[in-house]
Amino acid sequence: MAPAGRHRRPTPRPLSRLPLVLTAGGAGLALPLVSASGAGAASGGLWDKVAQCESSGNWSTNTGNGHFGGLQFTPSTWKAFGGTVHASRADLATRAQQVAVAEKVLDAQGPGAWPVCSVRAGLTRDRAADGSTARRAASEPGEAAPRTGTATARQASARTDGTGPAAVGDGRGHHRVVPGDTLSGIAEEHDVRGGWQRLYTANRTVVGGDPDLIVPGQRLDLPGRQVQERPAAPGTGQEAANDPAEQSRSRQDGQRKERERQRAAEQHRAAEQQKAAERQKAAEQKEAAEQKEAAERRRAAERERAAERERAAEQQKKQKAAAAKEAPASSGWTAPVRGYASGTAYGVSGPHWASGHHTGQDFAVPTGTSVRAVTDGTVVAAGWGGSYGYQVVLRHADGKYTQYAHLSSISVRTGERVTGGRQIGRSGSTGNSTGPHLHFEVRTGPGYGSDIDPRAYLRQHGVTL
């Protein structure tokens, strides 16, 4: 906006412990060595639009997301662009101070520093200021030194009645200090090679020992100037405007700035195109990697299914072989268990048995192994057998009895008829047992003490243990 329409100043804050930065005006001024360029400054209205988008217009917001203030500065950006001169974080600075830092960021990084909100607000690098972002005077604590405008504007203000100080840029390679001037601003405006440092060196006898203090009315030499300017004569100020040399310089400055703007725009477009190409390439690479990974997962799943089919076929084959192995002998007789290891044999003597010897044949098998009737018979006992644990006793047609002891479970009932090879229980370690096994005993009568050799009995019927 125009200078007369500047936004309302915020309520002054307590003075910072940092030194105040003043502009030229009054008896003296402190001079910031680097002032933000006004060429790419955005209008105050634009910054308000950006802030409305970034933080709902809250210039002191701190939500804990790592971004602070109305324009959502990160601490590193705030520090890199001189924000800590005003406050330790952006949310602790005034709106004007945040805008001053934002203009530096805009000059250096362009509107891409606010990639979404700059588009919504219409913020561009070459969008000229409407006056609302002119730098604050020394009366506003902690804000950057003001720029007073172009050389023509200063000349007009200095020569309105022909009685004021000599014109700014008086045509002899000199500059007359006016309120609001800064060494860096003067050096930039007059294209002084070597910047403010050379300007100060050339005018040290005028400025004095403190390069941060200049006084309105001081006449400064402009070293490194190539164009000779004519002195301004007293009058209405129209002479400078009608001066062909001044007009030529103005045109050249405008053309130079336009070339710089176009070059910056081209560089920005080229950078954006490169970023878009890189994003496209990254997306294609990611898609290719995902497709490759999906294909590999499909191949792995197919291999696993094939292996599962092979395992199932092998298991089925083993089950068939085991079933064939456990089937009763063609004579109708079979061993009481399959896949066993021989344990204590019949007739082994020792103090562990009441009769003085082992009365049966032990088969070392895991708990849960299927126990089968060796031939057809009738169940005469099915339950707890004392030291034998859970047992089943069968009576056969030849008058002999077979006992199956230390079972973990029983599958038949007393009085039930069973056929040879039928499961009557499962092995275990119940009763007086030192570990899982089947105690198999053959008797001539139903009670203890009538035992005979079980191996010999089975061999008589074609079963070899």
Side-chain angles (χ1 to χ4, degrees):
M1 58 180 66
R6 295 182 59 169
H7 65 278
R8 185 185 303 277
R9 292 181 181 271
T11 303
R13 298 187 178 189
L15 290 178
S16 170
R17 292 191 294 271
L18 297 173
L20 291 180
V21 178
L22 305 178
T23 60
L29 68 157
L31 174 67
L33 300 183
V34 178
S35 64
S37 171
S43 68
L46 282 178
W47 287 123
D48 286 332
K49 291 180 181 178
V50 176
Q52 184 65 32
C53 173
E54 291 284 351
S55 63
S56 300
N58 184 355
W59 292 88
S60 59
T61 185
N62 176 5
T63 61
N65 65 351
H67 296 73
F68 303 90
L71 300 175
Q72 292 291 277
F73 289 100
T74 61
S76 59
T77 300
W78 182 252
K79 180 178 179 181
F81 287 90
T84 51
V85 172
H86 308 303
S88 59
R89 294 194 315 267
D91 60 304
L92 304 177
T94 66
R95 173 194 177 281
Q97 290 167 345
Q98 295 181 46
V99 169
V101 175
E103 290 176 353
K104 295 180 182 179
V105 176
L106 180 63
D107 288 342
Q109 298 182 358
W114 299 269
V116 175
C117 292
S118 63
V119 175
R120 294 181 180 177
L123 177 67
T124 60
R125 187 190 293 269
D126 58 346
R127 185 73 175 265
D130 61 5
S132 63
T133 57
R135 306 301 191 264
R136 299 292 184 268
S139 59
E140 189 164 346
E143 298 193 27
R147 295 288 306 278
T148 59
T150 64
T152 303
R154 289 202 191 91
Q155 291 166 353
S157 64
R159 298 184 296 187
T160 55
D161 57 5
T163 61
V168 176
D170 57 14
R172 295 186 296 273
H174 304 292
H175 179 91
R176 185 79 64 181
V177 176
V178 298
D181 269 346
T182 66
L183 282 184
S184 58
I186 295 168
E188 179 182 347
E189 182 176 337
H190 293 286
D191 295 327
V192 175
R193 291 191 292 273
W196 71 266
Q197 294 92 337
R198 186 176 181 187
L199 182 62
Y200 170 65
T201 300
N203 294 277
R204 182 163 187 163
T205 56
V206 178
V207 176
D210 187 355
D212 289 341
L213 185 63
I214 61 175
V215 179
Q218 288 178 330
R219 184 172 180 271
L220 305 179
D221 291 332
L222 300 176
R225 292 282 293 173
Q226 299 299 320
V227 179
Q228 295 297 322
E229 299 174 341
R230 292 188 302 170
T236 63
Q238 296 299 319
E239 294 85 347
N242 296 329
D243 186 355
E246 181 67 23
Q247 294 175 356
S248 177
R249 282 194 297 274
S250 297
R251 286 194 299 271
Q252 291 174 359
D253 287 344
Q255 292 170 356
R256 175 178 56 80
K257 291 179 180 178
E258 177 62 19
R259 289 193 299 271
E260 291 177 352
R261 186 194 68 77
Q262 293 178 355
R263 183 164 55 251
E266 287 295 334
Q267 292 174 347
H268 178 70
R269 282 193 294 270
E272 289 299 320
Q273 290 173 355
Q274 182 178 358
K275 290 179 181 178
E278 291 175 352
R279 288 194 294 269
Q280 178 66 22
K281 182 178 180 181
E284 292 174 354
Q285 291 175 343
K286 181 179 179 181
E287 182 179 2
E290 290 175 349
Q291 291 176 351
K292 181 179 179 181
E293 184 179 355
E296 181 60 31
R297 286 197 298 268
R298 288 193 297 270
R299 288 193 293 270
E302 183 58 34
R303 289 194 297 269
E304 180 61 26
R305 286 192 293 270
E308 183 64 26
R309 288 193 295 268
E310 291 179 1
R311 287 193 294 269
E314 184 65 23
Q315 182 66 23
Q316 187 177 12
K317 182 179 179 181
K318 290 181 179 178
Q319 289 175 351
K320 289 181 178 179
K325 183 178 180 180
E326 293 182 2
S330 58
S331 62
W333 290 76
T334 185
V337 290
R338 296 292 183 184
Y340 59 85
S342 296
T344 304
Y346 174 77
V348 175
S349 62
H352 305 292
W353 302 284
S355 63
H357 69 275
H358 192 231
T359 57
Q361 172 66 48
D362 286 348
F363 298 90
V365 290
T367 297
T369 301
S370 178
V371 176
R372 302 177 186 276
V374 295
T375 191
D376 299 347
T378 302
V379 179
V380 296
W384 186 255
S387 60
Y388 288 107
Y390 288 109
Q391 67 171 358
V392 172
V393 178
L394 302 179
R395 183 179 184 281
H396 304 290
D398 61 359
K400 302 293 191 298
Y401 296 81
T402 55
Q403 181 194 35
Y404 310 83
H406 305 306
L407 303 178
S408 61
S409 64
I410 297 174
S411 306
V412 293
R413 299 186 303 273
T414 301
E416 185 177 353
R417 287 282 300 170
V418 297
T419 58
R422 177 184 167 181
Q423 178 178 303
I424 58 176
R426 292 187 179 277
S427 64
S429 184
T430 57
N432 293 341
S433 171
T434 58
H437 71 285
L438 171 67
H439 175 82
F440 176 68
E441 189 170 319
V442 180
R443 300 173 180 172
T444 59
Y448 177 78
S450 61
D451 54 270
I452 62 176
D453 186 351
R455 284 178 175 270
Y457 178 72
L458 292 177
R459 278 197 301 271
Q460 292 174 4
H461 298 285
V463 178
T464 303
L465 299 180

